[in-house]
Amino acid sequence: QDQFILKINKANNFQIKFENLSNFHRNLLNQFQSLGNAHHISLSYTLTRNHLVIHYDHSAIEISDPFDAIKDRVMSFDMNPNVIGLVIMDGEKIVHKEAINLYDLTKQDMKNDKLWHETCQISSYLIRLARHYRVETIAFEQLSIPSKNNKKGKNYNRLVNNKWPRSKFIGNLINKCKLHCINFKEIQCAYSSFVGQMLNPLEYDFIAAAIEINRRFSEIRKRNWKYW
């Protein structure tokens, strides 16, 4: 059944019913129940007014709906304060490209819990897109970027250094990649926007940067397999 029973004590039990539960999440709940009953997995829960969050070890879960990835098909994306530029490529051929607008998430009146929820939704969307296009690997820029004054105003610094939770976003995406058996790789992103724009002058800068990250991943894989 699509429900969660919260047992406070013997006298107080609460039933939480899920609406529009997907087959994927229904399978997860079934695995939680069977693995939990067998003491093969440890689960913890966070309950809010509107959400139930289940924390679990991704390595203990099996995917019931695997997909056949297309060899060497790579999704890459470039993160900017207000937009994510994304491309899916087979070698030099662009299969899909789009821009994900982050303006509504990074505006000043967005509360942190709402920001984090919507950020998780973006990573879920990327996984759905990867499964739809049968992506083998997701490549993204390394996040060892210290906070600094970018000399573009206080609002820009707030967006880059504080507001957008990029580390949590990438961590959430990596966990979902592991869950769905999708490869992932961090790529050195220095000058990716500049080089990408030089090589792809007809593209928007964030799309051009995503193409450059994709190209760098392909070069790493072809030239030195120890980084793979």
Side-chain angles (χ1 to χ4, degrees):
Q1 297 181 357
D2 298 345
Q3 64 179 359
F4 178 86
I5 300 176
L6 178 63
K7 296 182 179 180
I8 305 298
N9 50 48
K10 292 184 178 180
N12 296 294
N13 298 333
F14 299 93
Q15 291 186 353
I16 302 174
K17 293 185 178 181
F18 300 106
E19 297 181 355
N20 302 320
L21 197 64
S22 67
N23 291 332
F24 175 79
H25 289 100
R26 185 177 293 108
N27 173 262
L28 277 182
L29 291 178
N30 290 335
Q31 291 196 57
F32 290 156
Q33 182 173 2
S34 60
L35 292 172
N37 291 339
H39 304 288
H40 290 161
I41 191 173
S42 177
L43 302 172
S44 60
Y45 310 93
T46 301
L47 184 64
T48 68
R49 183 180 296 273
N50 299 315
H51 301 95
L52 170 66
V53 181
I54 303 177
H55 308 271
Y56 60 96
D57 180 5
H58 292 79
S59 63
I61 301 299
E62 295 182 0
I63 297 298
S64 61
D65 55 344
F67 67 102
D68 293 326
I70 296 176
K71 182 175 174 55
D72 298 336
R73 175 163 290 184
V74 180
M75 171 192 289
S76 59
F77 57 88
D78 173 70
M79 290 179 288
N80 289 283
N82 284 322
V83 66
I84 294 177
L86 178 148
V87 295
I88 298 174
M89 301 180 68
D90 290 337
E92 296 182 357
K93 177 184 177 182
I94 297 178
V95 178
H96 174 78
K97 62 181 178 180
E98 68 174 279
I100 301 176
N101 187 357
L102 303 178
Y103 176 77
D104 288 338
L105 294 184
T106 54
K107 59 186 180 182
Q108 293 188 11
D109 59 346
M110 174 69 73
K111 295 182 178 180
N112 288 335
D113 56 345
K114 176 66 172 176
L115 174 63
W116 175 230
H117 172 71
E118 296 297 334
T119 299
C120 290
Q121 294 302 307
I122 294 175
S123 63
S124 295
Y125 170 71
L126 294 183
I127 294 296
R128 291 196 301 271
L129 198 65
R131 290 179 59 89
H132 175 75
Y133 284 100
R134 300 166 59 190
V135 168
E136 182 182 51
T137 305
I138 297 180
F140 49 87
E141 56 189 299
Q142 288 182 338
L143 293 180
S144 56
I145 304 174
S147 298
K148 64 178 182 179
N149 183 0
N150 295 276
K151 299 181 180 180
K152 293 185 178 181
K154 292 183 179 180
N155 189 52
Y156 185 89
N157 287 332
R158 179 188 65 85
L159 292 176
V160 174
N161 298 328
N162 302 317
K163 191 62 176 178
W164 170 238
R166 64 169 71 198
S167 296
K168 290 184 178 180
F169 164 69
I170 289 298
N172 186 264
L173 179 64
I174 288 175
N175 286 336
K176 289 175 180 175
C177 284
K178 293 177 180 178
L179 184 60
H180 290 268
C181 301
I182 300 173
N183 298 321
F184 58 90
K185 179 66 177 177
E186 285 187 305
I187 301 297
Q188 174 57 247
C189 62
Y191 303 105
S192 57
S193 295
F194 176 78
V195 176
Q197 199 71 77
M198 291 292 292
L199 298 178
N200 307 276
L202 299 181
E203 300 285 357
Y204 290 107
D205 57 350
F206 42 82
I207 296 294
I211 295 173
E212 173 60 15
I213 291 172
N214 204 301
R215 185 192 68 81
R216 293 183 184 187
F217 170 78
S218 298
E219 288 296 321
I220 288 174
R221 183 172 53 186
K222 287 188 297 184
R223 293 173 182 270
N224 197 334
W225 285 93
K226 72 178 182 179
Y227 291 106
W228 171 236

